[in-house]
Amino acid sequence: MNMLTLRGIITLVILAVLFALAVVWISRQGGWKGEGCSGNCASCHSHCEDPDAKKK
């Protein structure tokens, strides 16, 4: 019975770590708002050079 409990705890820890890694990866990709580069670095630089153009 102890092995099943230990297996459950290990599974929960692994799932928590995977969730945390997914959150970190999404936040580094621009977050949930879709304001990231999407692989286009020139697009990101243009957003930084003229931030008011995005608001229009």
Side-chain angles (χ1 to χ4, degrees):
M1 209 59 162
N2 286 339
M3 290 301 286
L4 183 61
T5 304
L6 183 60
R7 185 180 302 179
I9 291 172
I10 291 172
T11 302
L12 287 175
V13 168
I14 290 172
L15 288 175
V17 168
L18 288 175
F19 179 75
L21 289 174
V23 169
V24 169
W25 184 79
I26 290 170
S27 65
R28 287 188 178 184
Q29 297 297 319
W32 285 265
K33 295 180 182 178
E35 297 175 357
C37 294
S38 300
N40 185 358
C41 293
S43 173
C44 282
H45 291 299
S46 67
H47 289 301
C48 293
E49 291 169 358
D50 192 9
D52 292 332
K54 189 171 78 171
K55 293 179 183 177
K56 290 181 182 177

